[in-house]
Amino acid sequence: MGGVLGGRGTRGGAGHGAGDRGRGAARSPPLFVLHVTIESSQGPGIVLNGTAGFAEGSSDLTIRGAGNEARPHPMMVNPNALETLPAGTYTGNVEDTVYVGPSIASSSVYYPGRTRR
């Protein structure tokens, strides 16, 4: 199994204000979360770089009280992680939106049935 967060949760995040950072190398295992609460992070609660994503079966993720003026979102993810976002609650943050941006992706993104650009 990949990285695991479970149980009581994280208060205040870790590192530079992020509760968890998925590195996203091609061989990186997905992050598994189950009944996790991240609160009072000074930046995004979770940042998934490159091709990182959440593991199948992840659920009940809560991120609240996260963000700052420069990075107000509870979660910042690469486009590859969109379909892996677990059910959860992402409200009560500086902004209650999930940031999706190619600037944190380290690989090409392909959408089936769409023209490559």
Side-chain angles (χ1 to χ4, degrees), residues 7-13 17-19 35-46 60-68 71-75 88-98:
R8 298 182 184 181
T10 301
R11 186 170 187 76
H35 308 296
V36 172
T37 297
I38 298 172
E39 59 183 348
S40 303
S41 179
Q42 294 178 6
I46 292 181
D60 301 319
L61 173 61
T62 299
I63 304 175
R64 62 178 169 241
N68 59 41
R71 295 172 26 173
H73 315 284
M75 193 178 331
T89 304
Y90 311 114
T91 58
N93 302 288
V94 174
E95 284 187 18
D96 292 331
T97 58
V98 174

Side-chain angles (χ1 to χ4, degrees), residues 6 10 13 23 27 30-31 36-37 47 49 51 53 56-57 68-69 73-74 77 79 92-93 99 104:
T10 301
R23 287 286 178 208
R27 59 188 176 273
L31 176 65
V36 172
T37 297
V47 176
N49 298 317
T51 59
E56 187 174 330
N68 59 41
E69 189 174 321
H73 315 284
V77 301
N93 302 288
Y99 176 84
I104 58 174

